[in-house]
């Protein structure tokens, strides 16, 4: 048997080209055609190979470029040399023990355990389900909440440190920074600040050696020591602790936040870094505090826990907050921590914490807040402002009280705040409210209403009009429209070219309520057609509603004409009405969408600080002393006809309003 036919001879793969290829000539002379075909084949292979090479080269180049764009590691700070020079003792523990550490009572004798502190302990107990919860203290806490929390705690008294590595320690917060590191070094476990609430189990992190979380996107602030997880005597912890040899009390958060963020990239095998949403979002800035404490817009789905930033929030946002407040006022934060106070009981207002993207009503009404006294709403501060639209967009009232017909604001740190669905457009909106000023109340620049995005606000505020009205009236005021834009991360500035001054219609000439409507219409595609279609569906009787929803509605020409008339009647882009009449307007007002497309709250009577933060004393220079009632908000601009229907009175019969109110009360 020839070698060519041997069963042990490897078989050559058969050609993918048949010998009788279409290019083969019938006379058998096929070599020339075959060569031509093979040449084309190799050209195709070459081109394919070239494109593959080019693709992988581009991928490599892009990755290399991105890597080169990363911020280079800082090697100039002195603590790095200290951290590198020590020879850390390897930890003998295989896992992070499931032990919680809290610290309290380093400030002075007989400290109280506040409500936030109790909830932090309760959340850690319920969510993490630890083997033990240590409370490290020097002065033992007092109060009812401490007695309530005590069964969950293992008390451990610590000395009152006055120095570390020869560097003085005098502030209780800096002493706590050292105590937490020593507790993790000696015991290992999970450290939480007493204003950090656990929201999800963290068992999946217990196999790590040392864990911290980003404060700010991409660790823009650093790594925050309000949450740390560690095996006993972990390597990075030893380096971090040794870096306190350079501690300086004048640098407030350098060693607690900034320094670990600088050290960690140099020891990537020793520390696990969690993203900014794990524990420290929303942030402590104005937007973050408003999102947590005022809006109902954030669901914490990406959070393992949340730091509530007690220091900046305590002076205002957390002032007077009780269990009743958390159970009855619906904000992002209160809705999330409410279950820890309910202890497994059902929320008495099911659905109150739903977060909507848009109104669920066909007429695009977001909410209707009558602001009528309701004995069923507990008198807390802040107090819930009930929405009767069905969307359950409840707001809150801070430092206000009910009078006979509405809510009276004091003109100090007093306001009504109404959150709206998360995708409510800033460019297509109507806000209607009834407001009463005291007769001859003449404060200028007082805030009636503010509609805001994160970077833009439209103010309705008081302006003197003494030059435009008879001199017999004392300091008459009306309302102007002022646009304010956040030009950088901290500086809000009025836009003079967008200012709309008040017309000569005084709002302080009597002691009566008047109806006001603010209309924003800068979206060229105002969604009136869908509204007409939904109204058409709802008007169908005797048909199955679900079938109607599936069918494409064919609008009658008269209805389309009605929709166009409604659209044409919504002018101009910005308008303010009083009792059904325009008193201020602009036909060329427009905010670029770069400054925000979605509304993040509507204020009445005051607005959040623009040149400070919530931890500062409230800026009352722009607060308005007034009464408000019957507030409504729509996710569309109302037509002129609809606005007139909202205002049953006019300037001519305004003086009769008081008599009409008396008749209503009598009826």
């Amino acid at each position: 048997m020839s070698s060519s036919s041997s069963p042990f001879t490897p078989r050559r793969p058969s050609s993918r080209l048949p010998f009788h290829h279409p290019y083969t000539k019938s006379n058998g002379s096929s070599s020339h055609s075959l060569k031509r075909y093979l040449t084309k084949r190799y050209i195709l292979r070459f081109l394919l190979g070239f494109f593959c090479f080019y693709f992988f080269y581009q991928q490599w180049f892009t990755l290399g470029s991105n890597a080169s764009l990363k911020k280079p590691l800082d090697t100039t700070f002195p603590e790095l040399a200290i951290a590198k020079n020590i020879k850390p003792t390897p930890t003998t523990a295989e896992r992070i023990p499931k032990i919680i550490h809290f610290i309290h009572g380093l400030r002075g004798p007989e400290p109280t355990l506040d409500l936030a502190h109790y909830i932090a302990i309760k959340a850690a107990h319920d969510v993490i389900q630890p083997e033990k919860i240590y409370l490290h203290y020097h002065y033992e806490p007092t109060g009812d909440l401490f007695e309530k929390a005590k069964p969950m705690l293992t008390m451990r008294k610590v000395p009152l440190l006055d120095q570390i590595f020869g560097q003085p320690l005098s502030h209780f917060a800096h002493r706590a920074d050292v105590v937490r590191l020593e507790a993790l070094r000696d015991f290992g476990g999970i450290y939480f600040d007493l204003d950090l609430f656990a929201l999800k189990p963290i068992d999946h992190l217990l196999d790590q050696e040392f864990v911290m979380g980003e404060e700010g996107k991409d660790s823009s602030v650093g790594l925050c020591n309000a949450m740390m997880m560690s095996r006993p005597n972990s390597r990075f912890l030893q380096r971090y602790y040794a870096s306190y040899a350079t501690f300086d009390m004048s640098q407030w958060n350098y060693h607690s936040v900034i320094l670990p963020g600088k050290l960690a990239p140099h020891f990537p095998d020793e520390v696990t870094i969690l993203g900014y949403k794990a524990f420290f979002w929303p942030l402590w800035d104005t937007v973050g505090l408003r999102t947590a404490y005022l809006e109902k817009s954030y669901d914490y789905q990406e959070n393992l826990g949340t730091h509530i930033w007690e220091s900046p929030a305590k002076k205002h946002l957390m002032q007077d907050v009780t269990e009743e407040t958390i159970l009855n006022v619906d904000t992002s934060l209160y809705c999330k921590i409410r279950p820890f106070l309910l202890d497994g009981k059902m929320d008495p207002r099911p659905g109150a914490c739903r977060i909507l993207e848009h109104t669920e009503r066909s007429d695009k009404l977001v909410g209707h807040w009558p602001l009528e006294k309701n004995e069923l709403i507990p008198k807390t501060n802040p107090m819930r402002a009930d929405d009767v639209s069905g969307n359950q967009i409840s707001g809150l009232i801070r430092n206000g009280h009910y009078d006979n017909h509405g809510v009276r604001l004091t003109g100090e740190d007093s306001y009504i705040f109404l959150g709206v669905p998360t995708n409510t457009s800033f460019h297509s909106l109507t806000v209607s409210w009834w407001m009463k000023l005291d007769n001859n109340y003449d404060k200028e620049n007082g805030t009636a209403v503010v509609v805001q995005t994160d970077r833009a606000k439209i103010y309705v505020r008081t302006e003197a009009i003494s030059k435009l009205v008879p001199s017999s009236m004392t300091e008459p005021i009306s309302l102007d429209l002022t646009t304010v834009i956040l030009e950088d991360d901290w500086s809000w500035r009025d836009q003079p070219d967008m200012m709309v001054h008040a017309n000569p219609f005084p709002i302080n000439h009597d002691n009566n309520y008047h109806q006001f409507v603010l209309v924003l219409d800068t979206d060229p595609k105002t969604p009136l057609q869908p509204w007409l279609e939904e109204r058409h569906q709802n008007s169908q009787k005797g048909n199955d509603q679900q079938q109607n929803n599936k069918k494409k509605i064919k609008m009658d020409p008269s209805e389309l004409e009605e929709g166009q008339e409604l659209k044409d009647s919504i002018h101009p882009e910005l308008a303010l009405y009083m009792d059904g009449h325009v008193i201020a307007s602009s036909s060329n007002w427009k905010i670029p969408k770069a400054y925000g497309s979605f509304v993040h709250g509507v204020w009445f009577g005051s607005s959040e600080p623009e040149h400070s933060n919530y931890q500062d004393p409230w800026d009352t220079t722009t607060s308005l002393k007034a009464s408000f009632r019957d507030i409504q908000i729509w996710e569309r601009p109302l037509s002129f006809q609809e606005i007139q229907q909202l205002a049953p009175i006019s300037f001519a019969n305004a003086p009769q309003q008081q008599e009409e109110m008396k008749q209503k009360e009598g009826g």
Side-chain angles (χ1 to χ4, degrees), residues 3 50 115 120 167 224 229 240 259 276 301 321 402 439 467 521 529 539:
S3 61
F50 175 81
L115 177 60
Q167 305 298 327
C224 185
M229 302 174 60
Y240 184 14
L259 178 57
Y276 69 95
Q301 285 302 306
V321 169
Y402 284 97
N439 194 18
K467 295 179 181 179
D521 183 20
Q529 177 68 18
S539 67

Side-chain angles (χ1 to χ4, degrees), residues 10-11 35 106 144 166 179 304 308 334 391 402 409 444 468 548 610 618 642 666:
R11 296 182 59 187
K35 285 180 180 179
L106 303 184
D144 294 340
V179 170
L304 296 174
I308 67 169
Y334 297 162
N391 285 323
Y402 284 97
L409 301 181
E444 280 203 273
L468 303 175
N548 284 338
E610 289 181 354
W618 196 259
E642 290 173 308

Side-chain angles (χ1 to χ4, degrees), residues 16-218:
R16 294 182 184 178
L17 293 174
F19 286 109
H20 298 286
H21 194 269
Y23 289 115
T24 304
K25 291 184 180 180
S26 59
N27 61 6
S29 178
S30 61
S31 60
H32 181 66
S33 298
L34 185 59
K35 285 180 180 179
R36 284 174 54 201
Y37 186 84
L38 290 174
T39 300
K40 291 182 179 180
R41 179 183 175 191
Y42 286 119
I43 289 174
L44 290 173
R45 284 183 175 179
F46 172 80
L47 291 174
L48 180 61
F50 175 81
F51 284 123
C52 288
F53 171 81
Y54 180 79
F55 173 79
F56 287 113
Y57 174 79
Q58 285 291 98
Q59 293 295 311
W60 173 84
F61 181 80
T62 302
L63 290 173
S65 299
N66 289 340
S68 66
L69 291 175
K70 288 183 178 179
K71 186 178 179 180
L73 292 180
D74 184 359
T75 60
T76 60
F77 58 105
E79 294 82 9
L80 179 60
I82 296 173
K84 285 185 173 181
N85 286 337
I86 72 164
K87 295 181 179 179
T89 305
T91 178
T92 58
E94 296 182 355
R95 302 189 81 213
I96 296 172
K98 208 169 180 181
I99 301 170
I100 302 289
H101 301 275
F102 290 108
I103 298 172
H104 195 45
L106 303 184
R107 188 172 190 173
E110 298 186 355
T112 58
L113 195 74
D114 294 340
L115 177 60
H117 307 155
Y118 170 78
I119 296 174
I121 295 169
K122 184 72 161 56
H125 177 272
D126 293 357
V127 175
I128 306 300
Q129 298 183 357
E131 300 166 9
K132 188 179 293 186
I133 300 178
Y134 279 111
L135 182 66
H136 306 272
Y137 71 99
H138 183 78
Y139 302 105
E140 185 168 333
T142 62
D144 294 340
L145 287 173
F146 173 65
E147 295 301 323
K148 190 175 180 180
K150 202 169 182 178
M152 296 182 278
L153 301 173
T154 298
M155 304 298 291
R156 179 175 181 263
K157 190 169 184 177
V158 296
L160 205 61
L161 301 175
D162 58 6
Q163 62 85 30
I164 181 170
F165 297 116
Q167 305 298 327
L169 288 171
S170 60
H171 198 284
F172 70 91
H174 292 146
R175 288 171 175 163
D177 290 341
V178 176
V179 170
R180 71 191 68 183
L181 292 179
E182 293 180 346
L184 290 176
R185 178 195 64 192
D186 297 341
F187 298 96
I190 304 150
Y191 172 78
F192 287 153
D193 269 1
L194 272 172
D195 61 345
L196 189 144
F197 303 156
L199 299 178
K200 293 178 182 176
I202 52 176
D203 296 64
H204 63 290
L205 296 172
L206 297 180
D207 289 327
Q208 306 303 312
E209 184 177 350
F210 187 87
V211 181
M212 291 187 78
E214 292 181 327
E215 182 177 323
K217 295 180 180 179
D218 301 320

Side-chain angles (χ1 to χ4, degrees), residues 266-315:
H266 294 275
F267 307 99
D269 296 334
E270 299 178 7
V271 57
T272 299
I273 299 174
L274 304 179
Y276 69 95
K277 285 189 177 181
F279 286 95
F280 302 107
W281 198 260
L283 203 55
W284 42 259
D285 58 2
T286 299
V287 173
L289 293 176
R290 185 184 69 243
T291 299
Y293 285 92
L294 298 178
E295 297 180 26
K296 188 180 70 172
S297 60
Y298 187 67
D299 61 10
Y300 294 90
Q301 285 302 306
E302 297 182 56
N303 291 60
L304 296 174
T306 184
H307 193 278
I308 67 169
W309 312 108
E310 182 179 22
S311 294
K314 190 169 186 176
K315 289 183 180 179

Side-chain angles (χ1 to χ4, degrees), residues 565-601:
E565 288 176 358
L566 283 171
K567 172 64 178 170
D568 292 343
S569 69
I570 302 174
H571 288 296
E573 284 80 3
L574 176 67
L576 176 65
Y577 296 79
M578 176 179 174
D579 298 332
H581 299 267
V582 176
I583 62 170
S585 65
S586 173
S587 296
N588 55 8
W589 183 87
K590 191 170 186 179
I591 296 290
K593 292 191 175 182
Y595 288 98
S597 295
F598 302 120
V599 177
H600 285 285

